[in-house]
Amino acid sequence: AYPGNVYWVDSVAGSDGNKGTFDRPFATIDYAIGRCTASNGDIIMVKPGHTETVAAAGGIDANVAGVAIVGLGAGRDRPTINFTATASDIDIDAANITFKNIFFDVTGIDAVVGALDVNAADFTLEDCEVLMADGAGQATEFIVTATAADRMAVLNNVIRAPNAGANNAISIEGTPDGIEITGNRIYGDFADACIHNPTGNVATNLVINGNYLQ
């Protein structure tokens, strides 16, 4: 009933040698992205209980335009993405990428510099949960934009940094246009702010609306 391709991912029962079907899922989101067709409306469905580790820069590279990565399940049963190196990140290198209903745990090692590196337009992060800091590890920043991150939408997420060590949850860098940050709960012990636009970085037509920021 869907015009694009639908691929399934499950680290528990999947293999990257499979076909990516519901019964024979891939094991990783990164591999599934590589099987997608650009601007085809493809969806990657990630099963409950899936766990994926980002251990290097570009450990997940969203470089195929128009792909949606959708997690299934609720609470801690949602798919989890862990970060285990200070340079590890997810690169958003193609336009129109969506991540939805994923739990991002950025506490696996101290001082992950920027877990989500947004380098392309029309990226959406929606209905996700992020843990940036605990007693063992504190990420410096979660989302970092580039000038090309026009019309990025951060919608209805929960981002937490309950321990000192994080600088900010969202760092708007470069000169992106039309970013929207709406309906989020962002709270923690941030050295800069929940949402930070560093000096010399000019964001135009920025909308920050209906958030709880502490």
Side-chain angles (χ1 to χ4, degrees):
Y2 188 75
N5 299 309
V6 179
Y7 296 109
W8 289 83
V9 172
D10 180 10
S11 62
V12 177
S15 168
D16 285 343
N18 284 345
K19 299 293 185 180
T21 61
F22 180 84
D23 293 322
R24 299 189 64 201
F26 297 135
T28 65
I29 294 168
D30 187 61
Y31 184 84
I33 290 171
R35 309 281 74 76
C36 292
T37 301
S39 303
N40 191 49
D42 290 356
I43 296 180
I44 297 170
M45 303 295 291
V46 189
K47 291 189 177 185
H50 172 82
T51 300
E52 190 158 340
T53 297
V54 179
I60 294 177
D61 192 359
N63 59 355
V64 180
V67 174
I69 298 95
V70 179
L72 301 178
R76 287 298 180 270
D77 197 34
R78 288 179 292 181
T80 296
I81 298 177
N82 300 305
F83 298 77
T84 59
T86 56
S88 60
D89 69 357
I90 297 172
D91 286 338
I92 308 300
D93 287 337
N96 308 306
I97 298 293
T98 296
F99 275 84
K100 185 176 178 69
N101 198 42
I102 304 288
F103 173 53
F104 297 89
D105 186 346
V106 204
T107 66
I109 192 168
D110 196 33
V112 173
V113 176
L116 206 52
D117 188 11
V118 183
N119 305 304
D122 296 296
F123 170 68
T124 298
L125 183 77
E126 185 173 10
D127 295 333
C128 293
E129 182 181 353
V130 181
L131 179 61
M132 288 186 63
D134 63 12
Q138 303 88 40
T140 303
E141 299 163 329
F142 179 61
I143 297 175
V144 179
T145 71
T147 292
D150 295 337
R151 299 175 301 280
M152 178 180 77
V154 182
L155 310 173
N156 305 318
N157 304 282
V158 176
I159 305 177
R160 299 183 293 118
N163 295 73
N167 286 348
N168 54 74
I170 303 171
S171 185
I172 302 171
E173 301 181 16
T175 58
D177 180 74
I179 287 176
E180 178 184 359
I181 302 170
T182 295
N184 304 279
R185 292 177 59 214
I186 305 175
Y187 57 96
D189 192 345
F190 295 112
D192 295 325
C194 298
I195 301 167
H196 187 46
N197 183 209
T199 300
N201 295 265
V202 181
T204 52
N205 300 306
L206 172 65
V207 175
I208 300 174
N209 177 62
N211 301 281
Y212 172 82
L213 306 174
Q214 175 184 326

